[in-house]
Amino acid sequence: MAVVEEVEWRPWRGSRDSLLPLLVLLLGALVAADQTEEYLKREHSLSKPYQGVGSSSSSLWDLMGNALVTPQYVRLTPDMQSKQGAVWNRVPCYLRDWELQVHFKIHGQGKKNLNGDGFAIWYTKDKMQPGPVFGSKDSFMGLGVFVDTYPNEEKQHESQKKRYTPGIQRIFPYVSAMVNNGSLTYDHSRDGRPTEIGGCTAIVRNLNHDTFLVIRYVKRRLTIMIDLDGKQEWKDCLDVPGVRLPRGYFFGTSAVTGDLSDNHDIISLKLYQLTVARSPAEEKQDKEVFTPSVDNLKLPGVETPTEPMSGFALFLIIFFSLVGLVFAGVIGLIVYNKWQERSRKHFY
Ligand SMILES: [Ca+2]
C-alpha cells in the first residue's frame, strides 16, 4: 500500500509570516513558485506514543545510554548525576531542504546555575556513538546544535576571580551551533565558544508551558528559532548563510549530566521536507557536497591547496641553478690552478 505523506501545517509561524497559512489557503494552487511547502516526514519524526522506540527492531529510532521511553516523553537523562543518553534516527536523511521542530522540556531540582549540562541536536554522519559532547562523540562530521544550560567558562572565571571583558559574556542557558568536518573538537570548558557559528540566550528551564526549537535548512541557509514564552511565536536565534551539509546524515539528540543534573526530555522531533524553488543559477551554486563546511569560515583541515609551481618558474630555478654550478666550477678551477702553481714554486 502506498503511503501518502500527510501535509501538516504547523499551528503557528513566526511573527513575520504569521499570515502565511491563511494566504496559502486563499491562493491555493495559484501560490507563487517561491512558496515553501512543508511535508512531515514520518521516517525522520519521533512523536507520542513512541511505538517500539528502544525495544522493537522495526522501530525507526534507537535509544542509547540512560535514555528511556515513557508514554509522554523520551527522557535522555534523568535529574541525576553522571548520566548520558541519546535517541537516534535509523534512517539517513537525503532531503535538500528541511526543518526540524524540537519539542522539549528541561526541568530539575537544581536552583539557578546548579543544573546541567544540557542537550544537543545532531545532523551527523555517525550515529549512536557516545562521547564527551553532550553525551555524543567529538570530532563529529555535520551539524551540532547545543542547548547548554551550564556556563562552564563563566564559572571557571568566577572561581579564578577573573573578570570578563564587557560585551563578551554570554547569558546562559545558551543555544549555539557548530559545523564540523571531523577536524574540530568541542571545547567543553569554554562552552564551545571557539567553534560556534552563532547562538543566542534561551531561558529554557523549569517552564510551565511547552518549549520548542526549530532548525531550518533552506538553500544552504541555517536558521534557528526558539519558542520559549508560550506565546506560539518563533524568535530568531541564529541565521547563517552558506552552510554546506552533505545529504545522507542522521538526526539524533543526546544529553549529559555531570556533578549537576536535569531531566532532559524530548516530547517530539518533527522533520518537515521543505519544497523550495531554485533558479538555474541557484541550482548551479547549490551543488552536492561531501564534507560539511561554512562559506567564509575556515575550518582546520580544509586548507586551500597551494598553487602548483608553473613550468616557467621551474625552468628559471633549474636555469639559475645550472648557471650557479658552472660559475662555482670555474672559480674552483682557478683556485686549484693558483694553488698548484704556488706548490710548484715551493718545490723549486
Ligand atoms: Ca556548558
Side-chain angles (χ1 to χ4, degrees):
M1 194 186 75
V3 179
V4 178
E5 286 294 351
E6 189 182 304
V7 181
E8 190 175 304
W9 290 104
R10 288 177 303 140
W12 69 88
R13 296 292 299 253
S15 50
R16 279 180 309 188
D17 49 7
S18 55
L19 281 174
L20 214 56
L22 188 65
L23 273 175
V24 171
L25 284 174
L26 287 173
L27 296 176
L30 295 172
V31 168
D34 205 34
Q35 175 63 53
T36 305
E37 281 183 31
E38 304 179 5
Y39 295 93
L40 179 73
K41 301 303 277 186
R42 296 189 181 284
E43 64 271 38
H44 302 302
S45 296
L46 174 74
S47 57
K48 290 180 205 175
Y50 320 110
Q51 217 148 14
V53 172
S55 57
S56 162
S57 59
S58 62
S59 169
L60 300 169
W61 295 84
D62 282 316
L63 289 187
M64 196 173 74
N66 303 109
L68 59 87
V69 180
T70 78
Q72 301 304 316
Y73 50 79
V74 174
R75 178 154 289 172
L76 301 175
T77 72
D79 188 5
M80 292 164 74
Q81 290 184 328
S82 305
K83 301 288 178 190
Q84 62 178 51
V87 60
W88 283 94
N89 194 193
R90 281 187 189 165
V91 187
C93 176
Y94 288 96
L95 301 174
R96 274 175 105 181
D97 306 282
W98 48 261
E99 177 176 305
L100 181 68
Q101 279 186 46
V102 184
H103 182 182
F104 66 96
K105 191 171 177 69
I106 304 177
H107 56 115
Q109 300 295 316
K111 293 279 175 288
K112 191 179 183 293
N113 280 345
L114 287 173
N115 63 280
D117 274 284
F119 77 107
I121 304 143
W122 302 100
Y123 174 71
T124 51
K125 189 179 184 195
D126 298 315
K127 62 182 170 80
M128 295 295 283
Q129 295 197 10
V133 189
F134 295 90
S136 205
K137 75 168 253 181
D138 204 350
S139 306
F140 57 92
M141 282 187 87
L143 169 72
V145 174
F146 312 120
V147 180
D148 189 344
T149 55
Y150 185 76
N152 296 70
E153 188 177 38
E154 188 186 327
K155 290 288 165 189
Q156 211 173 295
H157 275 248
E158 257 174 40
S159 65
Q160 292 167 359
K161 298 210 161 45
K162 281 184 195 165
R163 277 199 167 269
Y164 265 107
T165 321
I168 293 179
Q169 189 172 3
R170 301 180 292 182
I171 310 291
F172 276 69
Y174 188 81
V175 173
S176 67
M178 172 176 174
V179 172
N180 199 348
N181 58 11
S183 70
L184 297 175
T185 53
Y186 176 86
D187 189 345
H188 184 64
S189 65
R190 298 198 63 201
D191 306 298
R193 189 201 287 271
T195 49
E196 77 159 66
I197 57 169
C200 70
T201 292
I203 309 303
V204 288
R205 285 189 75 239
N206 289 342
L207 298 172
N208 288 323
H209 49 260
D210 291 330
T211 45
F212 299 86
L213 181 148
V214 63
I215 304 167
R216 190 180 284 174
Y217 184 59
V218 180
K219 292 185 184 177
R220 306 281 187 222
R221 189 177 205 100
L222 179 75
T223 26
I224 296 177
M225 289 176 287
I226 48 177
D227 171 14
L228 308 174
D229 301 332
K231 289 179 183 162
Q232 304 200 338
E233 211 173 86
W234 293 121
K235 280 192 176 152
D236 294 338
C237 175
L238 170 160
D239 185 356
V240 184
V243 175
R244 295 171 191 276
L245 298 172
R247 299 191 301 154
Y249 280 13
F250 297 96
F251 287 106
T253 172
S254 67
V256 72
T257 66
D259 292 340
L260 303 167
S261 63
D262 255 333
N263 296 300
H264 296 101
D265 298 344
I266 299 295
I267 292 105
S268 69
L269 296 172
K270 287 183 178 168
L271 188 85
Y272 295 88
Q273 175 176 14
L274 304 181
T275 312
V276 191
R278 280 180 172 77
S279 67
E282 282 174 329
E283 201 68 60
K284 208 174 172 185
Q285 220 175 30
D286 201 350
K287 281 195 196 114
E288 179 105 43
V289 294
F290 300 97
T291 311
S293 67
V294 182
D295 293 357
N296 306 318
L297 184 89
K298 216 170 155 212
L299 300 182
V302 212
E303 309 293 330
T304 42
T306 44
E307 285 273 307
M309 202 178 282
S310 72
F312 183 64
L314 203 64
F315 165 78
L316 284 180
I317 286 172
I318 292 171
F319 177 76
F320 282 110
S321 300
L322 283 175
V323 168
L325 269 177
V326 169
F327 192 66
V330 169
I331 297 266
L333 210 65
I334 292 170
V335 169
Y336 178 73
N337 282 339
K338 281 256 160 93
W339 174 77
Q340 266 200 333
E341 229 167 84
R342 215 181 285 166
S343 46
R344 239 180 276 139
K345 273 179 194 164
H346 188 76
F347 276 111
Y348 292 109

